[in-house]
Amino acid sequence: MAASSLTLGFLLHLVLLSLLFAAKAQEVTQFSYEGFVNDGSLVLQEVAGITNDRMLMLTNTSNDVVGRAFHSKTIRMLNDSDDRQKASSFSTYFVFSIVSSTSGPGGFGLAFVLAPDIDMFVGAQAGHHLGIYSASNAVKETHIFAVEFDTVNGSDKGESDTEGNDVGINVNGTESGVSKPAAYYIGMDSKPVNFSMEKDEAVQAWIDYDGDNKTVNVTVAPVGVTKPSRPLISNRSINLTTVLNGEYMYAGFSASTGEASKASSHYILGWSFAVNAPAPPLDITKLPRPPPKVKDTSSFSWVNFAIGVLSALTLILLLSLCSVTLYKRYTNFEALEDWELDCPHRFRYRDLHTATKGFKESELIGVGGFGAVYKGVLPSTGTEVAVKRIVRSPIQGMREFAAEIESLGRLRHKNLVNLQGWCKRKNDLLLIYDYIRNGSLDSLLFKQSLVLSWEQRFNIIKGIANGLLYLHEEWEQVVVHRDIKTSNILIDGDLNARLGDFGLARLYDHGEASHTTNVVGTIGYIAPELTRTGKASTSSDVYAYGVLLLEVVSGRRPIGSEQFFLVDWVVENYNMGQILEVVDPKLGSNHVEEEVELVLKLGLLCAQHNAESRPTMRQVMRYLNFDDPLPDIGDWRRQTDSDSGRMSLGFLEIVSSSAISTVNNSTSNSSINSRPIQTCR
Ligand SMILES: *[C@@H]1O[C@H](CO)[C@@H](O)[C@H](O)[C@H]1NC(C)=O
C-alpha cells in the first residue's frame, strides 16, 4: 500500500517533470540589452529616453516626473501544458544606477514591472506611486506585478518622508508585506551586508520566479559582487497565475521623482530577461558607465540636523583658520571645475590610484607613446583596465581637451582598444583603456618563443585595416590615427588586432603651443609629405599601414642598423622579381603565397611616396578580401643616391630610435628631397 502510493507519487513526479521540460522546450523567450540604443526595441513613456552613451534614462532630476520603458514585444507568461493555465517561471537580471542631484539625497525610486497593458498607466503619479499607481482610482491597479527599489521612505498614510533604501514586492497595487533594506548575503548563513543603492556606483538586481513553487526571489548587490546564492527576499506566497491577466504580458521599468530635493536620475545600464530559463548573463564591461556621483557630504536626517549645523560651524571656523594649508591640500588632491562634472568619461583619481596600487612599479605593463602604462583593477567594478599616465603633459586648454576625449570615448569598434575615460591631476593626465591580454603586436612579432602563423598574421592585418577604416570613414568624424605602428596594435585573447592610442597624437598636438608645428609619429612610419607640411591625413596613416604590412610579413623592423630600410629593401627585391625572398624565415613554408604576395605589394602601394596615389582604407579592404585585383604597380625605382639613407640616419642620431619622436619641422626641411621610393610608371 505504502509502496504503491510511493511509486504512484514517483510516477506523477516524473510526468510533471516531463511536462515541465516539454513546456521549457517549447517556450523559451529571452532577450538581453548590454546598453541601449534607440532602435524601437523599447517603448519609452513620459520622460524616459536613451542617452548618447547608451543608457536607458528613466527619469532626470526634475521634480515630480515619471518615466517608463517596456520591451516592445509581449511575453507569453502563462503556459497551459497542464489542464489549467499556470504562470511560467521567469528570471530577470538588470543593472541600474541612481544618481541624485547635488542638492539632496534624491528619490523616489524605480520598479521592475510586469503588466498586461502599457497604456494602463495614464494618470499614474510620481513620488512614491513610482509612475505605476495613483492616489485616486485613475489606474486600475490589478494584474500588475512590481518589484520596487525605493530611496525614500514613507507613503501617503501621512508619515513624513525620510531617506530610504528598500526593496519590496508589490502585487496588484498592494504591498505584499515584504520590504527589506537593500543588502546581500555572502554565503547562506552569514549576516546581511547592507549597502546604499543611491551611493553605490551601480546596483545589480535579480528577480527569479519559480512557477511551480510560486516563489519569488529578489536579490540585489553592488556591481562587482557575484550573484549571492541566498536571495534578500524569498517569498513563497505569490501566485502569479492569479495576478496575470491573459497569456501575454509586458516587461519593463518605471521610475519617478518627488518634490523638493527628492529627485534622482534613474538609469538602467543593462537588462536581460528569460521565460523558463535563467536570465542570460551580462558582460559588465560592455555596459555604459553611469555618470559619476556627487560626493555626499552628510547623511541628512532631521534628528541630527542641529548637530550637523554645529559641526558645520566648527568646520567653517577651522577652515578659515588654516584655509591656506587646506586649500593647498585640496587642490593637490582633486579639485573639480564645474564643467568637469558633466563629463561621463571622467574617472576619479582616487579610484585609479587604488586600481594601480598607487602606480606601483610591479603594475607597469609598458612605457612608450606619451607615457607609462599600468595595469589596474577598478575598485568599484573589478574591471581590468590599462591606465596610461602622461606625466607633465604640456596640454593647455583642459576643457577643449576633455571635450575631445569625451568624443573619442564614444568610438566603439571591435578592432579598437576602447578609451574608457580620463582623469587629470595637476599636470598629470591619465587615460583609461580596456586591458588587452596578449600585449602588443610588436612584442608578439619579435618574440622568440612564439611564432605567429600566416593565418594569424593575415587576420591581424585585416583587423587593423578594419579598425582604421572605421576611424577614417565610418564614424561621425574623421579620426586620423597619426601613430600607426606595431607597438600601438594590441592583440586580444582571440588573436584579433585592436588599434590603440587613436586620435591621441591629434589631441596632443592641439595642446601644444600652436606656434610650433610638430610632426608626431614614429621614425620609419612617417610619410614623406608629413615632414614637409606637418599635416597628418588619412593618407599618411595609410603610408604607416603600408610599412606595417611589410613588417608583419617580413618580421623585420622598418629601420634597422647599418642603413637598413625595410621599404627600400622590399622594393629592391620586388624589382629583382624575387619579392617572396623577404618573407619572414620563421614562417617556413606555412604560408599562402598568393596572400603573402598580395600583402607585400599592397604594402608597397600604401607606402609609396606620392600621397595621392595611395589607396583609401576602403580600397585596401577590398584588395585584402580579393574583391578587387591589385593595380599593376609597375616598376619601383629607388632613388639612386643614398640621400634618404643618410637623412634618416641623421634623425636616428637626434632621437633614440626606440622612443616616439617628435621631429621638428625645421630640422626636417632638408628632407624634402629624400625620397625612399618613387613610382615610375
Ligand atoms: C529561491 O531561493 C531559495 C534559497 O533561499 C532557493 O532554494 C530557490 O531555488 C530559489 N528559487 C529560485 C526560483 O531561484
Side-chain angles (χ1 to χ4, degrees):
M1 193 55 191
S4 69
S5 76
L6 209 75
T7 329
L8 203 72
F10 179 66
L11 275 177
L12 205 68
H13 197 74
L14 264 186
V15 169
L16 278 178
L17 261 182
S18 55
L19 278 175
L20 186 71
F21 277 113
K24 272 185 183 169
Q26 297 163 0
E27 286 285 335
V28 176
T29 316
Q30 61 180 49
F31 55 83
S32 68
Y33 296 92
E34 287 176 337
F36 298 85
V37 285
N38 235 332
D39 59 358
S41 57
L42 291 178
V43 177
L44 303 170
Q45 298 182 335
E46 308 257 352
V47 301
I50 287 164
T51 67
N52 282 340
D53 27 23
R54 301 186 300 123
M55 289 186 283
L56 169 56
M57 188 184 201
L58 292 169
T59 72
N60 49 34
T61 52
S62 310
N63 293 333
D64 286 318
V65 291
V66 168
R68 281 182 298 266
F70 293 94
H71 185 65
S72 59
K73 295 207 176 75
T74 51
I75 299 154
R76 187 165 179 226
M77 290 298 294
L78 286 180
N79 61 59
D80 45 14
S81 53
D82 260 325
D83 279 348
R84 58 212 156 73
Q85 290 198 318
K86 191 179 72 200
S88 307
S89 300
F90 74 86
S91 164
T92 187
Y93 168 46
F94 52 93
V95 181
F96 64 87
S97 180
I98 301 178
V99 184
S100 50
S101 64
T102 43
S103 56
F108 244 85
L110 66 99
F112 169 79
V113 184
L114 284 177
D117 182 9
I118 47 177
D119 297 321
M120 66 188 295
F121 299 105
V122 177
Q125 289 171 325
H128 60 86
H129 297 292
L130 293 183
I132 329 171
Y133 314 112
S134 66
S136 59
N137 286 329
V139 178
K140 206 160 167 272
E141 294 165 359
T142 49
H143 307 300
I144 301 173
F145 169 79
V147 178
E148 305 176 353
F149 304 83
D150 298 291
T151 51
V152 180
N153 267 333
S155 61
D156 49 351
K157 295 182 192 86
E159 308 164 29
S160 67
D161 291 338
T162 55
E163 197 174 330
N165 184 38
D166 298 311
V167 180
I169 300 175
N170 199 315
V171 177
N172 287 339
T174 40
E175 279 167 35
S176 57
V178 272
S179 174
K180 289 192 178 168
Y184 62 96
Y185 294 92
I186 305 169
M188 291 303 279
D189 307 309
S190 62
K191 278 196 183 145
V193 181
N194 288 301
F195 71 99
S196 160
M197 296 188 290
E198 206 167 35
K199 284 172 195 147
D200 264 280
E201 188 184 25
V203 180
Q204 313 174 84
W206 296 263
I207 301 166
D208 300 289
Y209 179 70
D210 178 340
D212 292 326
N213 297 317
K214 303 183 182 62
T215 307
V216 177
N217 285 355
V218 181
T219 315
V220 288
V223 157
V225 176
T226 47
K227 184 180 181 182
S229 49
R230 179 173 167 190
L232 173 65
I233 296 173
S234 187
N235 188 312
R236 303 205 185 152
S237 56
I238 294 181
N239 185 356
L240 275 188
T241 310
T242 59
V243 176
L244 303 182
N245 176 31
E247 283 182 30
Y248 294 92
M249 298 288 277
Y250 286 94
F253 300 93
S254 183
S256 69
T257 63
E259 66 216 351
S261 67
K262 294 185 188 63
S264 310
S265 298
H266 294 86
Y267 298 99
I268 308 284
L269 313 177
W271 176 29
S272 70
F273 184 97
V275 175
N276 291 326
L282 300 176
D283 182 348
I284 295 285
T285 61
K286 292 206 180 112
L287 303 188
R289 276 183 62 87
K293 303 215 163 169
V294 179
K295 266 240 115 14
D296 179 37
T297 41
S298 65
S299 46
F300 208 80
S301 114
W302 294 108
V303 184
N304 48 28
F305 178 70
I307 305 171
V309 169
L310 268 179
S311 44
L313 280 175
T314 326
L315 201 71
I316 289 167
L317 202 71
L318 271 173
L319 273 171
S320 54
L321 277 177
C322 43
S323 56
V324 182
T325 8
L326 273 182
Y327 178 73
K328 269 195 175 163
R329 289 255 166 92
Y330 176 67
T331 45
N332 274 359
F333 199 66
E334 203 164 14
L336 280 192
E337 290 161 38
D338 282 350
W339 57 267
E340 284 182 77
L341 292 173
D342 297 330
C343 299
H345 292 97
R346 193 188 149 274
F347 279 63
R348 288 202 313 202
Y349 182 76
R350 203 178 318 170
D351 288 347
L352 299 177
H353 195 265
T354 316
T356 55
K357 301 182 182 157
F359 300 100
K360 214 164 148 194
E361 202 135 319
S362 61
E363 307 304 298
L364 196 68
I365 48 176
V367 183
F370 303 96
V373 185
Y374 297 83
K375 184 184 170 182
V377 179
L378 291 179
S380 50
T381 56
T383 322
E384 289 180 323
V385 290
V387 181
K388 176 168 254 186
R389 187 186 203 191
I390 303 164
V391 182
R392 291 187 190 288
S393 58
I395 288 153
Q396 315 287 317
M398 267 312 292
R399 188 190 291 243
E400 290 72 31
F401 182 81
E404 290 256 24
I405 298 211
E406 286 295 325
S407 130
L408 289 179
R410 285 188 290 112
L411 281 159
R412 285 287 178 273
H413 190 272
K414 68 178 183 353
N415 294 113
L416 295 184
V417 181
N418 294 330
L419 175 61
Q420 295 195 7
W422 61 282
C423 168
K424 78 156 175 142
R425 189 196 183 215
K426 290 199 286 179
N427 282 336
D428 292 4
L429 181 74
L430 301 152
L431 295 172
I432 299 94
Y433 292 97
D434 291 354
Y435 175 73
I436 310 289
R437 201 153 292 279
N438 275 336
S440 76
L441 174 58
D442 181 75
S443 67
L444 283 184
L445 210 50
F446 299 104
K447 196 155 56 179
Q448 297 303 321
S449 57
L450 181 133
V451 177
L452 286 173
S453 72
W454 172 248
E455 203 189 340
Q456 289 161 344
R457 290 185 205 205
F458 197 44
N459 179 47
I460 288 168
I461 285 168
K462 284 182 176 170
I464 303 167
N466 225 333
L468 210 48
L469 173 64
Y470 174 77
L471 291 180
H472 285 181
E473 295 182 30
E474 290 174 350
W475 199 53
E476 58 202 51
Q477 292 171 34
V478 176
V479 178
V480 177
H481 187 294
R482 311 238 287 185
D483 201 11
I484 303 275
K485 57 175 175 173
T486 47
S487 57
N488 270 344
I489 311 289
L490 298 183
I491 305 298
D492 69 18
D494 303 324
L495 290 179
N496 287 315
R498 308 201 24 191
L499 263 140
D501 268 1
F502 46 82
L504 183 59
R506 184 169 65 121
L507 293 174
Y508 193 80
D509 206 37
H510 277 327
E512 294 272 49
S514 46
H515 50 265
T516 56
T517 319
N518 285 333
V519 176
V520 184
T522 301
I523 288 210
Y525 299 92
I526 299 176
E529 75 274 8
L530 247 182
T531 54
R532 213 177 330 129
T533 64
K535 278 220 180 76
S537 63
T538 51
S539 70
S540 53
D541 272 358
V542 172
Y543 179 92
Y545 177 73
V547 176
L548 188 135
L549 289 185
L550 304 182
E551 190 176 351
V552 171
V553 182
S554 67
R556 301 190 68 160
R557 294 186 192 278
I559 292 182
S561 52
E562 293 167 29
Q563 305 202 10
F564 173 83
F565 299 101
L566 180 59
V567 178
D568 293 4
W569 181 62
V570 178
V571 169
E572 263 168 38
N573 278 282
Y574 172 77
N575 287 342
M576 289 191 282
Q578 51 173 40
I579 195 165
L580 291 175
E581 286 297 299
V582 307
V583 175
D584 189 350
K586 282 194 277 182
L587 277 175
S589 55
N590 295 326
H591 57 262
V592 186
E593 260 176 36
E594 194 193 3
E595 289 171 358
V596 170
E597 199 172 326
L598 170 83
V599 172
L600 284 171
K601 286 182 177 169
L602 184 58
L604 292 180
L605 196 66
C606 293
Q608 61 183 307
H609 184 268
N610 184 3
E612 284 82 53
S613 318
R614 292 175 206 145
T616 62
M617 284 318 291
R618 187 169 299 281
Q619 192 57 53
V620 166
M621 280 306 296
R622 294 191 60 83
Y623 293 141
L624 284 175
N625 291 327
F626 290 95
D627 291 338
D628 285 339
L630 267 190
D632 185 14
I633 50 180
D635 270 344
W636 295 82
R637 199 189 53 180
R638 192 178 171 222
Q639 181 113 1
T640 36
D641 61 280
S642 56
D643 252 11
S644 59
R646 255 183 273 121
M647 277 314 309
S648 308
L649 204 66
F651 286 149
L652 285 179
E653 283 162 5
I654 299 167
V655 288
S656 128
S657 62
S658 60
I660 280 220
S661 53
T662 310
V663 184
N664 203 297
N665 215 8
S666 59
T667 46
S668 53
N669 273 341
S670 51
S671 70
I672 294 171
N673 299 322
S674 78
R675 302 188 172 191
I677 50 171
Q678 220 174 16
T679 31
C680 245
R681 303 196 52 184

